[in-house]
Amino acid sequence: MLSPCPTATIVILDDLITSIGNDRQIMAVLSHELGHAHGRHGLQLLLQSSAVGAFWTLYIGDISNLLAAAPAAVLQAKYSQDLERQADDYGAALLMLNGMSPALLADSLKKLLASHPEASNEGYLSSHPSTDERMRHLRQLAGSSK
């Protein structure tokens, strides 16, 4: 639906607009994506995945071995989850600076999950923190901003 590229370009797909259908909630998602662009997360992920892959290739010799790739996948998922949390916090701060509630982002996440249940991001190797965890955090931020 949205993707931060290594160049900090944000790509918006029609599915985001139709899945959410609320301008303020769409703005909340865009504020999250601006957090990725501001933090240059796309470039960081590209560099980090290259570095992890190079390390394992040097350390083990053959990165094509699934057992050798598993630790890299765990590191990548953890790193990516941290970037998602940073983007959520950036988006929440940007929303509050503009007089909007971070709960708008939580509401948009709920709608996205409802329209795409197959994209549920629960699990050890997920690139995103749990949607429930993210929504709780955003709602806490919304409550503390009052």
Side-chain angles (χ1 to χ4, degrees), residues 24-84:
R24 290 172 62 85
Q25 290 173 355
I26 292 167
M27 294 297 292
V29 173
L30 291 175
S31 70
H32 166 91
E33 295 304 323
L34 283 171
H36 284 306
H38 177 78
R40 308 210 30 96
H41 294 167
L43 182 59
Q44 286 182 34
L45 282 173
L46 178 67
L47 294 173
Q48 197 267 347
S49 64
S50 298
V52 169
F55 168 78
W56 283 109
T57 299
L58 288 171
Y59 185 72
I60 297 190
D62 182 9
I63 194 69
S64 65
N65 184 329
L66 180 59
L67 292 175
V74 171
L75 274 175
Q76 183 71 27
K78 171 71 173 113
Y79 186 74
S80 186
Q81 288 179 12
D82 289 344
L83 296 181
E84 286 302 318

Side-chain angles (χ1 to χ4, degrees), residues 4 15 18 22 24 34 41-42 45-46 48-49 59 67 88 96 102 108 111 116 120 131 136 139 144:
D15 192 40
T18 58
N22 176 296
R24 290 172 62 85
L34 283 171
H41 294 167
L45 282 173
L46 178 67
Q48 197 267 347
S49 64
Y59 185 72
L67 292 175
D88 281 349
M96 288 187 286
S108 66
K111 282 185 178 179
H116 299 283
S120 176
T131 302
R136 269 192 308 278
R139 292 191 196 289
S144 68

